[in-house]
Every structure is written in structure tokens, then in C-alpha cells.
Amino acid sequence: MSDLPTVVATRGAAAPDLAERAAHLDAVDELAPARALFTLNDGVVYLDGNSLGALPSHVPDRMRDVITRQWGELGIRSWSESGWWTAPERVGDRIAPLVGARPGTVVVADSTSVNVFKALVAGARLVPEDRDEIVVDGTTFPTDGYIAQSVARLTGKRLVAVEPAGLAARLGPRTAVALVNHVDFRTGRLHDLPGITAAVHAAGGIAVWDLCHSAGALPVGLDTHGVDLAVGCTYKFLNGGPGSPAFLYVAPRHQAAFDSPLPGWNSHADPFAMAPGYAAADGAPRGRVGTPDILSLLAADAALDVWDHEAVSIGAVRAKSLALTDFFLECVAAYAPPGRLASLTPAAHAERGSQVALRCEGAPEVMETLIARGVVGDLRRPDVLRFGFTPLYVGFADAERAARVLAEVLAGKAA
């Protein structure tokens, strides 16, 4: 648990200084124009994009076309004429550069949980059977743990839960596959994807990464760092909408041997032959199962248009994310009553995702009051206030206001 940064200015003098700095930082921010691409409520600071991203403003019109023309007028012809059939791979190719993957390696389909299941079982099938341990991040998002437990039961392997810091030391000749979260969902800690992946490979295992809290927030480098398999969602920093489908990455070197535990007709080499025997398709389509959720998939596709704007790049997003979270922590340190908050989020940039988690006594009541006052974060029981910073639509004035209102709530000031 890291200490909040020390601020030299006195509490009374800090407020105007920090507000002025926020205004200046927003004025020179190269990503500031991207804010206009989103539908945001006036007077609300939205710091929950790490749970559900904001709505890109053009998505409703795009979806009206999908529903009224593509579905309503063309009907079943849209599978070919509107490109519905190839959408899982086409949208995957749009996500690929955001996670450092080449075309043809990412497919968008199903939920994160389903893709974790596919990746773990398929990963275990890529190594010799005498490798009988599945290693899982001991701080993982609960569903990943539940899926890993089920996969262990189904495959007859032993599940080993290890905190990421100790994971490399626990790997060995029995390791089949390791499942790790790139960013810890509670604390915002960024784990060492290159180092852990290299350690898994040195032990002879398969590295599977959950990118739900990093895709669209920071560079990932799947190809560069030799990741084997990865999964991630599209509804957080990629702003695809509630429940929008997840994605699955399969490294090119594993695609021919990728043996999905869910071989559906959509991943068949000749799906419309309706053959009784299964023959897997080539490449990314092997990750498909059944009929795609076209409405949610095309909403996610439309949302990805924000990344087509010239100033928007994953590098610029990462730079602003770090600046925003630094500034927010500075404002919290300057404004908040002493001793009321402790940061769980690492101070070091190399260890930080795009959120700030603050331990706080009475956190449920504090967050409820914050939301009522127009600062929307979220809560991880029993005592963690979590604030997600999506640089495409969150500015420095938002960070300053959020910290100031938080301090007022903690000090018991009236709304």
C-alpha cells in the first residue's frame, strides 16, 4: 500500500493553484478534443470507465442503421451484404493494434468468461499431458478463478493460486498454463507482462493474459512479448457498451494447434456444410463458437471509430492516463483530511494501470455520497474507493473536482 504523495503547498493555498493547473493542463492536452466524441452528462465527473465506458456519441445513429436497415430491410441478407458473418474477425483486426497484435490473431465473440475457458483448456492441450498444474493469479478477478477451478476439475489438473509477485518462483516442469491479470481490478496494479511471460516460457508453460483492465488504456505488446493466448473485454476502456462481446487472441504460432473445448459450427472450416464431424477453421475463426451477437458486436465496432481520429493513439492515451492519475493523487493529498485515505495503487508508473484505488473507512457511504454529488466512481467492498480514468473523455479539471468533492465528503461538509 503506497503513501499518498506529499504536497508542499498548504491546504488553503492548494485549491486555487491546483484548479489553475488543471485548467492549463486541459488547455494544452492533445486528447482534449476527443471528449466531444462522447455523450457525457453535464455536471458529472465520470470515473467508472473501468467498469463501463461512456457512450460514443455516434453509436446510436449507427445502431439505428443496423436495426432498421440491415436487420429491418435486408434481414438475413445482411450476413453477407452487411458483413455480419465476418464481423468477429473484422472487429478483432481493429482491436489488434490496440493490444499490440498483428491482423488475423484476434476474434471478437462470446464473453470474457467463455474466452478464459477456451484459452485455459486450449492452452493446456498445447503442452505435454504430464504437465499437470494450472497456475492462476491469486489476486485475480473472481470469475477467472472460478473458471480456472472448473478447468482444473475437467482436465484432472491441479490448480495453484499464486500472487503475481511470486509467480515466477512457483513455475516449473509441472506447469501447463498460467493465467494472470494484466491489471489488478481492485488496486490498479500493472503486472509485469513481459517478465512473467518470459518466466512461463522458460518453465515450458503457456501464458494466458486477462487484458480487461488494460486493453484501450495502455500499450500491451502481445506479439512483441511473445504472449501465447489472451482475452479481454470491449465494454471498459474500449467503450463498446454494456455486455459487449469479449475478444480472444491466439498467437500465430499456436493457431494451427489451437484446440478449442467449444467447437461450434461457427468455427468449422465449412460451417454451412453442416457436416456431422468437426474440422476447425484456419486462423482466428477457430475461437468462434456459435452465432455472433450481432447487435452488441456492431455497437462495439462503431465505438472503435474514436480510435480512428488522428490525435488518438494508445501511446497518447497512456501518457495522459499517467499524468491524470498522478494529478488526482496529488489533489487528494492536498485536499483530503489527513489519515483518512491510503492509496492501494502503486506510485511507480511501470506498476500502475489507469485507475486509482483508495482505502477508506466507511467507503460504501462515501461512494454513495460522491455519486449523489456528481462524482461517479465505484466501490470494492469492504473499504476500497475505485476511480477509473479514461483519458479520451476525462480531463484534469475532472480529476481536481473529484478530489475536492471527495475531501468535502470526508470532512462532512454539506452538499
Side-chain angles (χ1 to χ4, degrees):
M1 185 166 65
S2 58
D3 294 330
L4 290 170
T6 301
V7 178
V8 174
T10 64
R11 198 171 307 278
D17 292 347
L18 290 171
E20 290 167 9
R21 276 181 54 203
H24 171 72
L25 290 168
D26 283 333
V28 299
D29 173 21
E30 64 178 323
L31 287 178
R35 185 182 179 99
L37 303 175
F38 293 86
T39 298
L40 300 165
N41 294 323
D42 291 339
V44 173
V45 177
Y46 189 68
L47 300 180
D48 208 5
N50 53 335
S51 283
L52 176 63
L55 171 69
S57 301
H58 66 280
V59 169
D61 284 342
R62 186 77 61 82
M63 293 311 296
R64 272 189 283 274
D65 176 72
V66 170
I67 293 169
T68 60
R69 183 183 66 84
Q70 296 181 30
W71 180 14
E73 296 176 17
L74 296 178
I76 200 166
R77 291 161 52 196
S78 275
W79 285 106
S80 56
E81 294 181 27
S82 300
W84 286 2
W85 184 259
T86 57
E89 293 77 51
R90 176 172 52 79
V91 181
D93 281 348
R94 299 190 72 188
I95 292 172
L98 301 180
V99 293
R102 70 194 71 179
T105 58
V106 177
V107 64
V108 180
D110 307 308
S111 68
T112 303
S113 301
V114 171
N115 285 328
V116 168
F117 178 77
K118 296 177 200 171
L120 280 180
V121 175
R125 290 173 174 176
L126 288 170
V127 298
E129 291 185 5
D130 61 353
R131 289 184 168 268
D132 61 355
E133 289 186 348
I134 296 173
V135 179
V136 64
D137 171 359
T139 60
T140 189
F141 187 78
T143 291
D144 287 20
Y146 306 155
I147 296 292
Q149 291 170 17
S150 179
V151 170
R153 293 195 302 272
L154 287 168
T155 61
K157 298 189 185 298
R158 177 170 175 261
L159 186 67
V160 179
V162 186
E163 295 215 1
L167 191 145
R170 183 58 184 80
L171 302 171
R174 297 178 63 181
T175 302
V177 60
L179 171 64
V180 191
N181 283 243
H182 197 192
V183 175
D184 186 288
F185 79 102
R186 288 188 184 88
T187 67
R189 177 177 291 277
L190 175 64
H191 295 135
D192 180 10
L193 182 146
I196 292 175
T197 299
V200 174
H201 289 168
I206 296 292
V208 180
W209 285 89
D210 183 329
L211 309 179
C212 284
H213 287 270
S214 59
L218 53 93
V220 177
L222 292 178
D223 285 348
T224 297
H225 301 304
V227 169
D228 300 295
L229 305 167
V231 302
C233 69
T234 61
Y235 50 80
K236 299 182 191 296
F237 294 105
L238 295 177
N239 309 297
S244 57
F247 62 87
L248 171 69
Y249 163 86
V250 181
R253 65 187 180 279
H254 293 312
Q255 289 186 355
F258 182 85
D259 184 7
S260 174
L262 297 172
W265 77 286
N266 256 238
S267 62
H268 197 284
D270 187 3
F272 292 98
M274 303 298 173
Y278 180 75
D282 292 331
R286 286 191 175 209
R288 296 172 66 154
V289 183
T291 305
D293 185 344
I294 287 297
L295 298 185
S296 288
L297 178 57
L298 296 186
D301 184 26
L304 290 168
D305 286 356
V306 300
W307 294 92
D308 294 337
H309 290 258
E310 184 177 354
V312 176
S313 69
I314 196 66
V317 165
R318 177 58 169 166
K320 183 178 175 183
S321 164
L322 293 171
L324 274 170
T325 49
D326 277 345
F327 184 67
F328 177 70
L329 284 167
E330 181 180 352
C331 291
V332 169
Y335 294 162
R340 293 295 306 276
L341 299 168
S343 177
L344 301 176
T345 303
H349 286 181
E351 299 175 0
R352 186 192 308 167
S354 198
Q355 72 178 52
V356 172
L358 301 175
R359 178 159 286 159
C360 174
E361 184 179 350
E365 295 77 17
V366 170
M367 183 54 69
E368 183 179 0
T369 306
L370 282 174
I371 293 172
R373 294 192 56 181
V375 175
V376 180
D378 70 6
L379 174 74
R380 287 295 176 262
R381 294 197 305 255
D383 59 357
V384 177
L385 305 173
R386 202 176 67 147
F387 302 95
F389 288 83
T390 304
L392 294 179
Y393 53 79
V394 174
F396 292 89
D398 295 324
E400 189 274 337
R401 179 186 162 193
R404 179 164 33 84
V405 173
L406 173 58
E408 292 171 0
V409 171
L410 293 174
K413 293 185 177 180

